[in-house]
Amino acid sequence: MGERITTVERDGLRFDIRDDGPIDGDPIVLLHGFPQDSRSWEAVAPYLHAAGYRTFAPNQRGYSPGARPPRRRDYSLDLLVDDVAALIESVPGGRAHVVGHDWGSAVAWTLAGHRPDLVRTVTAVSVPHPAAFMRSFVTSGQLLRSWYMLVFQLPWIPETLLSRETIARQLLHGTGQPSAATDRDVARLKDRAAVRAGINWYRAVPLSNPKSSFGKITVPALMVWSDKDTAIGPAGVDATARYVSGPYRRETLVGTSHWIPDEEPEKLARLVLEHIAAHG
């Protein structure tokens, strides 16, 4: 019988891992987004476990206290991808199904493009392929939806604001997140160092090579979007298919907000399991 993986170390950083489900189950890696952590998958994971899968949900770079470097350049997308690659290389078999939400989707897409040898299937929740997302900035109103990404480039101000409970609640519950999940995430946002580390993902964007995440996806891909998402419009989602050369499926959840894993965990789990069954 194997052992649980509770931490993974890479380049002097220590990442906390939530390893749950049947220990002999095929691995699914669950990647959270901003401003959440691995607990954002708590409602989804039990459905995956019931189907026989083992899940690995890391607190990613900046979210694990032991993996919180100070410089914004330390949060570039290639480093975030390498962190997840190190996790997958440590799981039994060295390959996994990868599911990401929000920023976790960007990491999942880029990992699948760069290291298809590690990825059996990829599921992106809410956020389209990075190249399609960038394209949507000039072909639609996505730039207006992403105003906060520009604000996050400012020093100190964003983390100061987000550590205030009223503002954090508006960001989360005000955009459709269920109350219990909002309470959970607002509590972690009181830690200003944790908030700053999460915002550094955005601050590192200008320092990243945009072409590094533009590669076509050859592994089976599923895109799950929701039509009440205030942060991500349909243009990037519509354009994602052109960046996938392997099997591709798109699903839209009607009447659902950006916070799909919190709001519709059973539906999301069903879609992931169908995708894996079809291509795994």
Side-chain angles (χ1 to χ4, degrees), residues 184-224:
R184 175 197 67 209
D185 294 336
V186 165
R188 73 168 299 277
L189 289 174
K190 294 178 181 179
D191 181 351
R192 191 173 298 186
V195 178
R196 180 177 298 115
I199 291 174
N200 277 341
W201 286 42
Y202 294 91
R203 290 174 174 153
V205 169
L207 305 178
S208 301
N209 179 3
K211 294 183 179 180
S212 66
S213 57
F214 281 11
K216 283 204 171 185
I217 306 302
T218 58
V219 303
L222 168 66
M223 172 78 235
V224 182

Side-chain angles (χ1 to χ4, degrees), residues 62-81:
Y63 294 84
S64 289
R68 196 171 286 167
R71 304 176 304 175
R72 63 174 183 155
R73 72 181 66 177
D74 294 322
Y75 295 84
S76 62
L77 187 57
D78 60 326
L79 294 176
L80 305 175
V81 168

Side-chain angles (χ1 to χ4, degrees), residues 82-230:
D82 288 345
D83 295 339
V84 179
L87 166 60
I88 295 177
E89 288 170 342
S90 71
V91 307
R95 297 182 72 209
H97 303 283
V98 180
V99 183
H101 173 245
D102 189 77
W103 256 111
S105 291
V107 175
W109 282 122
T110 308
L111 174 69
H114 279 265
R115 296 294 308 273
D117 57 304
L118 300 179
V119 181
R120 297 179 64 179
T121 66
V122 62
T123 299
V125 186
S126 299
V127 173
H129 186 283
F133 188 52
M134 293 292 291
R135 177 183 175 87
S136 71
F137 275 67
V138 296
T139 62
S140 71
Q142 183 59 53
L143 184 61
L144 293 176
R145 289 175 180 260
S146 300
W147 60 270
Y148 58 92
M149 296 178 67
L150 299 177
V151 174
F152 284 174
Q153 300 304 316
L154 299 173
W156 304 107
I157 295 174
E159 48 263 60
T160 300
L161 294 175
L162 287 177
S163 60
R164 296 179 180 177
E165 182 171 342
T166 54
I167 294 176
R169 286 192 179 278
Q170 181 58 36
L171 170 69
L172 300 170
H173 189 60
T175 55
Q177 189 185 54
S179 297
T182 296
D183 291 342
R184 175 197 67 209
D185 294 336
V186 165
R188 73 168 299 277
L189 289 174
K190 294 178 181 179
D191 181 351
R192 191 173 298 186
V195 178
R196 180 177 298 115
I199 291 174
N200 277 341
W201 286 42
Y202 294 91
R203 290 174 174 153
V205 169
L207 305 178
S208 301
N209 179 3
K211 294 183 179 180
S212 66
S213 57
F214 281 11
K216 283 204 171 185
I217 306 302
T218 58
V219 303
L222 168 66
M223 172 78 235
V224 182
W225 181 66
S226 45
D227 66 350
K228 298 300 182 183
D229 193 323
T230 58

Side-chain angles (χ1 to χ4, degrees), residues 5-10 12-18 30-33 35-39 56-70 74-75 80 83-84 87 188 191 193-201:
I5 298 174
T6 58
T7 60
V8 168
E9 295 190 12
R10 191 181 88 82
L13 303 178
R14 186 180 182 92
F15 298 88
D16 300 323
I17 313 295
R18 297 169 66 92
L30 304 171
L31 304 176
H32 66 81
Q36 303 186 290
D37 58 22
S38 60
R39 294 173 299 167
F56 299 86
N59 286 332
Q60 296 187 79
R61 182 174 292 237
Y63 294 84
S64 289
R68 196 171 286 167
D74 294 322
Y75 295 84
L80 305 175
D83 295 339
V84 179
L87 166 60
R188 73 168 299 277
D191 181 351
V195 178
R196 180 177 298 115
I199 291 174
N200 277 341
W201 286 42

Side-chain angles (χ1 to χ4, degrees), residues 21-51:
I23 202 161
D24 60 347
D26 283 346
I28 300 177
V29 172
L30 304 171
L31 304 176
H32 66 81
F34 176 85
Q36 303 186 290
D37 58 22
S38 60
R39 294 173 299 167
S40 67
W41 297 105
E42 286 178 330
V44 177
Y47 296 105
L48 306 179
H49 302 156

